[in-house]
Amino acid sequence: MRTTTRGIYALKAILALAADSSKDNPMALHIIAENEQISAEFLQQIFFKMRKAGLIAAYRGPGGGFYLLKDKSEISVLSVLEAAGESMELSPCADTRVGGKAPCAGFKGCCAGQFWMSLENEIKTYASSKTLADLMGAKPS
């Protein structure tokens, strides 16, 4: 697993929303893009995916912008990364998404394949246990 720029920017941008926006005070995309040094066009693509996943919403028009749909303590890092389109798979050995089948004929008895699947599960568990609120609490002052 190697997180792409999309995943890194998605997490940075949603943390900016969590810190400085609310339903009554949405944050403009261009402000987030400027503050986080992200291309506004790229951020728009990321926010489209996060809106589709139900993590954020937007008000249109003057004074409009984006805000979180859930409390920051209810949004996991895993949900942000998955909404952005990040894959958490570490190895083809652990990828059983395709039809729910093992990736190769020898998978069931393969110690290496079982290792990759276990490690992937640990990473997913960790990422799902960390919320935006957790990350913001860990933020250096």
Side-chain angles (χ1 to χ4, degrees):
M1 174 189 108
R2 180 170 175 105
T3 303
T4 67
T5 304
R6 181 180 305 271
I8 293 166
Y9 287 174
L11 190 56
K12 284 177 64 170
I14 202 164
L15 284 167
L17 273 181
D20 294 326
S21 73
S22 68
K23 188 172 182 178
D24 297 327
N25 185 30
M27 192 171 194
L29 184 128
H30 71 89
I31 292 173
I32 299 167
E34 185 178 307
N35 290 348
E36 299 301 324
Q37 300 178 340
I38 303 170
S39 155
E41 293 79 18
F42 192 39
L43 187 56
Q44 190 170 26
Q45 293 171 18
I46 294 168
F47 274 17
F48 175 79
K49 289 179 175 229
M50 288 201 288
R51 283 178 67 191
K52 197 171 178 181
L55 299 177
I56 64 174
Y59 281 130
R60 294 182 181 263
F66 292 88
Y67 60 94
L68 299 179
L69 275 175
K70 301 175 184 176
D71 187 80
K72 57 190 170 193
S73 65
E74 298 174 356
I75 300 175
S76 73
V77 171
L78 182 63
S79 66
V80 173
L81 294 175
E82 287 180 338
E86 289 295 309
S87 170
M88 302 302 286
E89 280 70 37
L90 294 172
S91 162
C93 293
D95 188 359
T96 56
R97 292 173 298 156
V98 182
K101 296 180 183 175
C104 67
F107 179 77
K108 191 172 185 175
C110 178
C111 298
Q114 297 300 317
F115 166 79
W116 290 119
M117 186 168 274
S118 294
L119 183 57
E120 178 185 306
N121 288 336
E122 290 293 323
I123 291 170
K124 285 182 177 180
T125 298
Y126 181 75
S128 67
S129 75
K130 295 298 178 187
T131 66
L132 300 181
D134 293 331
L135 294 184
M136 293 172 73
K139 186 177 173 182
S141 43

